[in-house]
Amino acid sequence: MTGIESADPHRQSFESIRKEDGDAEYWFARQLAPVLGYQDYRNFLAVVEKARISASAAGLDPADHFGDVTTMIDLGKGARREINDVRLSRYACYLIVQNGDPSKPIIAEGQTYFAVQTRRQEIQDDPAFGALSEDERRMMLRREMAHHNTALASAAAQAGVTSGLDYAVFQDHGYRGLYGGLTNRDIHARKGLKKSQKILDHMGSTELAANLFRATQAEEKLKRDGARTKAQANDIHRDVGRKVRATIAELGGEMPERLPTPGASIKQLVRRKEKALKGESG
């Protein structure tokens, strides 16, 4: 096992303390604790235990995600000491931030980061998704986007976002957070689209995935925080967009507004597929 680094925890990111062992990635609990705002490791261990229980309740074997290990720390003047630690999978980290102190701002950032990471891995590990072409991935993600936008609208309606104008303003806040201040109209113009064309139909799979993360996380946060006003809903959507954007940056990804616009729209792809299916059946 590698020793714990002595870098200032407030300057560390989730990505900077991530470890790799072959194809597996993991985090050490003692390094994660200060990054999540826990200076007392004993308090953090209580959160880790809650996360273990959550894993078990979900039908998982906690041992697959929480590994009790020992690591070495430097005491100075060449002295070293062995201490107890916990090796955490990405999913374990996700459960920890879900069970963490919601008053800590970094907990909210961690929820978005590990939710995005977990979803990315689920997609990456899905053989069916991996076998799809880019066009097929776009159509699949666009269908998911339509489904989750409906769920997002329902969650926003509980906060008073009910009219068409209300929802347009609400969606703009989400886009502004994810696209670094750009509105729906700005994105529409950057893609060179006609007034009747929808920007979601002119996104590649990577851009669609980023927006899907935004929609799903905003829906969950609206419900979790119990937003009761349009202003609260708008702020939540914008903040979630910002956190997804920050996570993309931390992972070294391309910002969504810089991603290329595909030559064919989703509607064109669907028509082509339907035409091909009719040809086969004929």
Side-chain angles (χ1 to χ4, degrees):
M1 295 290 175
T2 58
I4 295 178
E5 298 170 3
S6 59
D8 179 356
H10 297 291
R11 301 180 66 178
Q12 290 178 308
S13 66
F14 299 117
E15 211 38 34
S16 72
I17 61 171
R18 180 174 61 89
K19 309 294 183 185
E20 291 185 358
D21 182 6
D23 292 332
E25 60 179 358
Y26 61 94
W27 285 258
F28 283 129
R30 286 187 180 272
Q31 286 184 302
L32 184 63
V35 172
L36 290 177
Y38 288 87
Q39 301 308 316
D40 188 329
Y41 185 62
R42 288 172 299 181
N43 290 340
F44 185 66
L45 280 180
V47 181
V48 173
E49 288 310 307
K50 287 182 181 179
R52 286 187 202 255
I53 294 171
S54 295
S56 181
L60 302 173
D61 184 351
D64 291 339
H65 300 277
F66 302 82
D68 293 319
V69 297
T70 56
T71 54
M72 300 295 293
I73 59 170
D74 293 322
L75 301 177
K77 297 183 179 180
R80 305 189 79 196
R81 180 164 64 89
E82 199 174 66
I83 57 173
N84 294 327
D85 208 333
V86 185
R87 175 170 162 157
L88 307 165
S89 71
R90 185 196 315 101
Y91 188 65
C93 293
Y94 175 62
L95 291 177
I96 286 170
V97 295
Q98 290 293 340
N99 285 277
D101 182 354
S103 68
K104 297 179 184 294
I106 194 65
I107 289 292
E109 294 178 20
Q111 288 172 350
T112 303
Y113 173 85
F114 287 109
V116 170
Q117 281 281 61
T118 300
R119 178 59 174 154
R120 281 164 59 103
Q121 194 64 42
E122 286 173 351
I123 292 175
Q124 182 178 319
D125 291 345
D126 186 344
F129 188 85
L132 297 178
S133 67
E134 168 63 10
D135 288 347
E136 290 169 329
R137 292 182 183 188
R138 288 178 63 204
M139 288 187 285
M140 188 206 80
L141 289 169
R142 183 65 179 92
R143 287 193 296 272
E144 279 199 51
M145 194 74 219
H147 168 73
H148 286 290
N149 263 344
T150 299
L152 178 60
S154 177
Q158 300 303 310
V161 179
T162 54
S163 71
L165 178 59
D166 288 343
Y167 191 67
V169 172
F170 171 74
Q171 282 288 59
D172 247 12
H173 276 72
Y175 283 129
R176 283 163 53 194
L178 180 57
Y179 285 80
L182 298 179
T183 64
N184 184 314
R185 181 177 295 181
D186 296 330
I187 301 166
H188 198 275
R190 284 176 71 98
K191 289 180 176 293
L193 305 180
K194 296 178 182 178
K195 189 175 181 179
S196 61
Q197 294 176 311
K198 297 180 180 180
I199 59 175
L200 289 171
D201 288 336
H202 295 265
M203 294 181 182
S205 63
T206 300
E207 189 175 357
L208 277 168
N211 278 279
L212 182 59
F213 295 145
R214 167 187 57 76
T216 55
Q217 293 305 301
E219 176 196 346
E220 289 185 13
K221 189 163 178 60
L222 284 169
K223 294 176 180 177
R224 188 167 60 244
D225 290 6
R228 288 292 175 264
T229 68
K230 289 184 279 190
Q232 289 175 340
N234 291 340
D235 288 345
I236 285 173
H237 202 185
R238 184 189 63 242
D239 290 346
V240 168
R242 285 175 176 168
K243 287 166 185 171
V244 173
R245 182 180 180 85
T247 298
I248 292 171
E250 189 169 350
L251 294 171
E254 191 70 81
M255 290 299 104
E257 69 272 13
R258 297 185 190 137
L259 292 168
T261 299
S265 71
I266 299 290
K267 289 183 178 180
Q268 289 174 315
L269 296 180
V270 171
R271 284 197 295 267
R272 289 177 188 173
K273 185 175 182 179
E274 290 174 347
K275 186 177 180 180
L277 290 173
K278 286 181 180 178
E280 291 175 5
S281 63

